[in-house]
Amino acid sequence: MPNDPNLDDTPQSSREGRAHPVPTGATAATATGRGTRREIVAWAMYDWANSAYSTLLITVLYFYISTLFPSPEHKDAAFPVVYLGETVVQGPVVYAWGIGLSMLVAAILSPIVGALADARANKRLWFRSTALAGALLGTTIGLISPHSPWLVLGCFVLASFCFELSFGFYNSFLPEIADEITMNRVSSWGFAAGYIGGGVVLAMALGLMTAGDRLGLDSLSARMRASLVLMGCWWALFSMPAIWILRDRGRPRSSAVGFRAAAHQAVGEVATTLGHIRQFQSLAWFLIGFLFYNDAVQTVLTQSSAFAEKEIGLNVRQLIPVILMIQFVSMPGALAVGWLADKIGQKQALYLCLAVWVALLSFSWWVTTENEFWIMGAVVALVMGGIQSVSRSIMGVMTPANRTAEFFGFYNLSSKATSFIGPFTFGLVIHLTGSARLAILSLLAQLIIGWLLVSRVNIARGRADAIRASEATTQ
């Protein structure tokens, strides 16, 4: 087993100069049939599909929720101010807490349903169900009357929950269609496809916002609702290639038992994995560090609209072009970080992304104009997909081949276990101080803590642990 901590940063290019070993462990699923080009394209298309939700979530959906739960000072609001007891429920707070709730529930369930999917070798079924349910709920948000704000909120929370679960199953297919040689590139291609797809659907939403009157959409509310219907339909339509083409490569371990017994077994396997986490020390350090820095990154992404509205005064029409720019700049950014990870190593590429994020959050205190927000957005775009892509590829390399859904369930747990804290805290700081600027800076400490934790990760050792665990299970 490799023990040299420097081995985990061996650049991909130096490995390619040697004969490729027979894939084992994290790449065993591809030993008899690595993912075909058709499978890789279909897999990446789901990033293209669900990006409709992630991009319109932080633009149109944020402002739509804000109109349904306006502040008391909005005397001309189209809908009445909503009270929870004696307290006014404001849009930014409802939005942040809604995302936080969906992330919390998804975090708790992800490892369990992941282990269940592995045991029954049916993660494709779970993926299909959560993806299509999320798309249907997203469409429903736009079809519900805006005079039923709590019903809209319920669909919003459930759609976000399905989005989070589906992404966990989607990620778990990565080690089955890519090996350690291609992991960085395939992961970055998925994010690149997502940014292009998100940009296209966002441009279509911008068209509805600016020229919706020609389609009979006279009010801003009607245009936003039409954009949300577009979001759900896009998500469903472009999910189809992944739903139909991707297949489970593992063999069922408990197909003969009923669902309840299999679920009980899955919970037991998750508990066993947690009890023996010391067997996967590098993976454990990575997941804990990822928990901290990813929470900060995701909170910035989901709450950027609140910052733009409250601190700079941007409205939905002004914000959409900024997010549109970010989507298209993020595509080459994700590919560049994937290429960089091959050249300098995954860990060093991750360090570079974290350094840029720390600088961005520090700089946000001085951002006061629309032009400065555009500049900050462009820099965010360069590392936004990169940090997610390289994190996913690191996880894929250290994952046992026959337990991908379970381990990516832990990855989803790590990415969401405290992610409800970020949005909840963000909403609380806004509620108490009225300042989104202070809320943004509160995330800086999480980034630094996460950086310190992942510095203890030895990727080569984690890869060896995955190989050993996979071989032990198959014997």
Side-chain angles (χ1 to χ4, degrees):
M1 181 188 305
N3 291 312
D4 184 357
N6 294 321
L7 289 178
D8 61 345
D9 289 322
T10 302
Q12 188 69 40
S13 57
S14 66
R15 292 200 299 267
E16 291 177 347
R18 302 192 296 267
H20 293 169
V22 176
T24 56
T27 62
T30 63
T32 58
R34 181 180 303 170
T36 63
R37 184 181 299 274
R38 182 168 173 260
E39 288 174 317
I40 292 172
V41 171
W43 179 82
M45 282 300 295
Y46 187 67
D47 249 317
W48 173 286
N50 68 39
S51 62
Y53 185 78
S54 59
T55 52
L56 269 66
L57 170 71
I58 61 175
T59 51
V60 176
L61 191 49
Y62 165 77
F63 282 97
Y64 186 57
I65 293 291
S66 293
T67 63
L68 300 186
F69 297 88
S71 303
E73 62 268 18
H74 294 167
K75 303 297 184 182
D76 57 345
F79 309 104
V81 174
V82 178
Y83 289 86
L84 186 61
E86 299 293 328
T87 305
V88 174
V89 183
Q90 300 183 39
V93 177
V94 172
Y95 171 83
W97 289 355
I99 291 176
L101 177 62
S102 65
M103 286 183 171
L104 173 61
V105 179
I108 294 171
L109 293 181
S110 285
I112 297 173
V113 296
L116 177 60
D118 279 335
R120 299 173 72 89
N122 67 346
K123 62 176 177 281
R124 176 173 176 260
L125 174 63
W126 283 92
F127 168 63
R128 178 179 62 196
S129 301
T130 52
L132 293 181
L136 177 61
L137 287 161
T139 304
T140 304
I141 294 172
L143 297 177
I144 297 174
S145 169
H147 294 282
S148 301
W150 292 105
L151 185 56
V152 171
L153 180 62
C155 288
F156 161 54
V157 172
L158 289 175
S160 296
F161 168 72
C162 289
F163 172 83
E164 300 295 347
L165 276 188
S166 72
F167 211 78
F169 289 112
Y170 162 72
N171 284 336
S172 71
F173 281 101
L174 177 60
E176 297 188 353
I177 63 173
D179 59 20
E180 65 182 76
I181 302 297
T182 59
M183 193 80 69
N184 294 328
R185 278 168 281 173
V186 174
S187 181
S188 64
W189 289 340
F191 277 105
Y195 290 125
I196 293 296
V200 172
V201 74
L202 192 59
M204 296 170 68
L206 179 60
L208 287 174
M209 289 293 161
T210 56
D213 55 332
R214 300 177 187 176
L215 300 175
L217 304 172
D218 297 330
S219 66
L220 178 60
S221 175
R223 297 173 193 178
M224 287 193 288
R225 291 172 63 198
S227 298
L228 297 175
V229 172
L230 168 66
M231 170 192 75
C233 292
W234 179 285
W235 187 357
L237 176 63
F238 291 107
S239 295
M240 291 304 168
I243 287 173
W244 287 109
I245 294 174
L246 295 179
R247 293 290 186 272
D248 290 277
R249 293 175 184 261
R251 294 182 178 180
R253 301 197 299 269
S254 59
S255 57
V257 300
F259 179 85
R260 179 177 297 181
H264 180 76
Q265 178 180 338
V267 173
E269 290 181 357
V270 170
T272 300
T273 301
L274 286 174
H276 295 88
I277 197 66
R278 284 179 293 182
Q279 296 178 8
F280 307 96
Q281 288 187 13
S282 289
L283 181 62
W285 281 115
F286 171 72
L287 289 176
I288 296 171
F290 179 73
L291 180 149
F292 280 93
Y293 74 73
N294 184 69
D295 183 28
V297 169
Q298 293 302 316
T299 302
V300 170
L301 298 181
T302 60
Q303 305 304 316
S304 57
S305 298
F307 180 86
E309 180 196 29
K310 296 187 72 66
E311 300 298 334
I312 304 176
L314 301 186
N315 57 39
V316 64
R317 292 188 183 91
Q318 293 171 305
L319 182 63
I320 286 180
V322 181
I323 304 299
L324 190 60
M325 175 273 294
I326 291 174
Q327 289 297 120
F328 287 110
V329 175
S330 292
M331 188 274 287
L335 293 176
V337 173
W339 173 85
L340 193 63
D342 283 344
K343 296 298 181 183
I344 67 174
Q346 295 166 313
K347 195 171 176 182
Q348 296 302 322
L350 177 60
Y351 283 176
L352 179 61
C353 291
L354 286 169
V356 175
W357 273 104
V358 168
L360 279 169
L361 290 192
S362 302
F363 176 70
S364 67
W365 181 263
W366 291 278
V367 173
T368 57
T369 68
E370 185 175 353
N371 288 338
E372 291 170 346
F373 187 75
W374 272 82
I375 294 171
M376 187 172 72
V379 179
V380 164
L382 293 174
V383 293
M384 181 170 66
I387 195 169
Q388 295 171 319
S389 175
V390 74
S391 297
R392 183 166 65 183
S393 65
I394 290 173
M395 180 67 193
V397 166
M398 297 192 292
T399 295
N402 56 351
R403 299 169 73 182
T404 58
E406 178 190 352
F407 273 66
F408 269 94
F410 279 107
Y411 179 73
N412 207 35
L413 172 63
S414 179
S415 68
K416 303 297 182 296
T418 59
S419 288
F420 72 95
I421 295 177
F424 272 116
T425 303
F426 197 94
L428 183 61
V429 172
I430 292 177
H431 183 69
L432 296 177
T433 68
S435 173
R437 201 177 302 276
L438 289 173
I440 285 284
L441 285 185
S442 68
L443 304 173
L444 189 58
Q446 289 182 241
L447 273 175
I448 296 173
I449 292 172
W451 192 345
L452 292 173
L453 289 170
V454 296
S455 68
R456 300 179 62 90
V457 174
N458 184 319
I459 297 177
R461 186 175 299 153
R463 183 166 60 247
D465 290 342
I467 292 172
R468 185 176 61 252
S470 181
E471 291 174 345
T473 304
T474 55
Q475 287 176 354

